[in-house]
Amino acid sequence: MKSISILGSTGSIGKSTVDIISRNPELYDVVALTGNNNVELLAKQAKSLNAKFVATASKDKYNELKSLLSGTNIQVEAGDEAIVEAAKQDAEWTMSSIVGAAGLLPTMAVIERGKTLALANKETLVCAGDIVMSAIKEKGVTLVPVDSEHSAIFQTLENDQRKAVDRILLTASGGPFREKSIEFMKEVTPEQAVAHPNWSMGAKISVDSATMMNKGLEIIEAYHLFGFGADRIEVLVHPQSIVHSAVAYVDGSVLAHMGNPDMRTPIAYALGWPNRIESPTKKLDLTSLSGLTFTHPDENKFPALRVAKEALTLGQTHTIVMNAANEIAVGAFLNRKIGFLDIVKTVEKVLEKSEFPKVNKVQDVVEVDTTARLLTKKILSI
């Protein structure tokens, strides 16, 4: 049996991971699960998977979670420290899928153990890529990316041919507004923004997809994972979401990863790595495809791509600030405090006003992140 932990088990990635594990429970020993406010689902998962340690990030939910798990031998904890403690539990394989910068400290705790890390939390690398990748190398951690795009690159990048790589082709669905005008996007509602045409994701990630900030974050993530600068990472809008990304080589070859849009495919790949295991994903029928299209994104309509590339060029501090400002702005939009187009405008304002120190350690990252969030809230008057 493989011992595993899932950080963020009640989110979209976590639920898909639980689904795969639940189909073969005899193969996995579940050590720890973590969630946030949905303690009812967290308790249900813990019971069905016989987890040993369960933590909610919300201290207010501790008594409810404790009650739901009464009569079991499951250890129950709450708070940010408890999430880190869950990450420290001795599991061979850990899924890090906590959304946002909140996933950084738990992910670092996983790295300290030196085992296998399945990384679905892109903000960890956006905020602290230099620090994280250095720690991964030092601790001998096996890192398997879970984002569908980075999993695709991971699978098609021939490590012994890195010098022959021409560019990385990072595909994007384009979100729900790829064919809409800027005038239309001025009046977009949260309900429209979270209605992704191809993927079932949480609200924050769905809004990031709609602004294409998600792809900006992925450019930064790809830089840290694979070592290619923004000038060698080409974003292509591919509405069908069948080609999940590709690597183009100098001889003209393009190695692409294809599959139906279902996160259980890259999760199963990460769970089974270095082997491949069965997943419940519907198999791709090439004869049913009417066509695959690719276009370059319109950075005038989706300036988040430009903002992300500029932040990457300026360095780690700027990507921390960008991510923090974006998280606060997305939250404000979902709470109907600002308009859809104001999200990226807010991020740009914060970056223009930011004068933060360089970061050398995780605590520096936390301090810059906190300060940037406070500045964003001040700018938005929330």
Side-chain angles (χ1 to χ4, degrees):
M1 297 180 75
K2 178 183 288 187
S3 60
I4 71 166
S5 291
I6 307 172
L7 308 180
S9 66
T10 58
S12 59
I13 298 294
K15 286 188 286 189
S16 292
T17 307
V18 169
D19 177 55
I20 294 173
I21 293 167
S22 298
R23 295 168 187 268
N24 298 282
E26 72 283 357
L27 300 179
Y28 305 103
D29 176 27
V30 178
V31 177
L33 300 175
T34 79
N36 195 8
N37 291 315
N38 193 350
V39 292
E40 187 174 341
L41 175 59
L42 183 59
K44 182 180 179 181
Q45 292 175 335
K47 288 178 180 178
S48 67
L49 298 176
N50 296 313
K52 297 174 178 61
F53 185 107
V54 177
T56 169
S58 174
K59 289 185 176 181
D60 293 339
K61 292 287 185 175
Y62 173 76
N63 290 332
E64 184 180 351
L65 181 60
K66 186 74 173 176
S67 176
L68 288 166
L69 291 173
S70 63
T72 71
N73 294 319
I74 300 171
Q75 183 178 347
V76 179
E77 301 292 345
D80 293 339
E81 300 86 355
I83 302 299
V84 174
E85 189 59 35
K88 291 180 179 179
Q89 300 300 305
D90 191 21
E92 299 170 68
W93 185 96
T94 302
M95 169 64 78
S96 177
S97 60
I98 297 171
V99 175
L104 173 58
L105 293 181
T107 301
M108 290 302 294
V110 175
I111 292 169
E112 281 297 312
R113 292 192 288 103
K115 301 293 178 65
T116 298
L117 170 64
L119 185 61
N121 171 265
K122 59 176 61 65
E123 291 86 356
T124 289
L125 292 179
V126 170
C127 291
D130 295 337
I131 297 168
V132 169
M133 295 307 292
S134 177
I136 283 173
K137 183 177 180 180
E138 179 186 343
K139 297 293 181 179
V141 171
T142 298
L143 173 63
V144 186
V146 175
D147 268 355
S148 61
E149 296 84 358
H150 301 90
S151 176
I153 297 166
F154 187 80
Q155 295 180 58
T156 55
L157 177 60
E158 299 175 331
N159 278 319
D160 60 345
Q161 296 294 325
R162 291 180 62 86
K163 292 182 179 179
V165 173
D166 178 51
R167 65 199 187 284
I168 301 295
L169 302 174
L170 201 63
T171 57
S173 69
F177 309 133
R178 62 184 177 83
E179 295 183 336
K180 302 297 184 182
S181 67
I182 292 177
E183 287 300 313
F184 175 89
M185 290 192 287
K186 287 180 180 178
E187 306 300 325
V188 160
T189 66
E191 290 77 14
Q192 290 172 306
V194 301
H196 194 282
N198 299 336
W199 297 94
S200 175
M201 305 183 293
K204 192 270 181 182
I205 300 175
S206 295
V207 174
D208 280 348
S209 178
T211 63
M212 291 200 75
M213 178 60 82
N214 200 43
K215 209 54 49 180
L217 297 175
E218 288 174 8
I219 290 172
I220 299 169
E221 185 181 7
Y223 163 76
H224 288 294
L225 284 171
F226 308 114
F228 297 101
D231 59 329
R232 296 179 66 190
I233 302 173
E234 182 179 351
V235 174
L236 295 175
V237 175
H238 171 52
Q240 298 81 17
S241 295
I242 295 298
V243 175
H244 298 298
S245 277
V247 178
Y249 292 89
V250 292
D251 63 0
S253 299
V254 176
L255 302 188
H257 176 278
M258 302 173 69
N260 280 313
D262 188 326
M263 282 305 300
R264 291 177 297 182
T265 297
I267 292 169
Y269 178 80
L271 192 56
W273 194 90
N275 302 310
R276 291 185 184 269
I277 63 173
E278 189 78 19
S279 92
T281 306
K282 181 182 178 182
K283 303 302 183 283
L284 180 63
D285 177 9
L286 292 173
T287 65
S288 69
L289 301 178
S290 58
L292 302 178
T293 60
F294 303 87
T295 58
H296 288 114
D298 183 345
E299 293 192 11
N300 291 318
K301 280 174 57 177
F302 300 102
L305 290 169
R306 171 184 52 78
V307 171
K309 286 185 282 190
E310 289 174 355
L312 175 59
T313 301
L314 291 169
Q316 191 78 84
T317 300
H318 287 77
T319 59
I320 298 168
V321 173
M322 182 197 75
N323 180 73
N326 180 66
E327 287 190 20
I328 296 299
V330 169
F333 167 70
L334 289 170
N335 288 318
R336 305 179 196 278
K337 302 289 186 183
I338 63 173
F340 179 75
L341 294 181
D342 294 325
I343 297 173
V344 179
K345 288 178 182 177
T346 300
V347 174
E348 289 191 278
K349 287 180 183 177
V350 177
L351 284 167
E352 288 169 2
K353 290 179 177 290
S354 62
E355 292 182 6
F356 298 101
K358 290 185 177 181
V359 294
N360 297 303
K361 55 185 184 296
V362 171
Q363 188 55 41
D364 296 339
V365 175
V366 174
E367 289 175 4
V368 170
D369 177 80
T370 300
T371 304
R373 288 170 189 273
L374 292 172
L375 176 57
T376 308
K377 289 178 180 180
K378 182 179 180 181
I379 288 173
L380 293 177
S381 300
I382 58 174

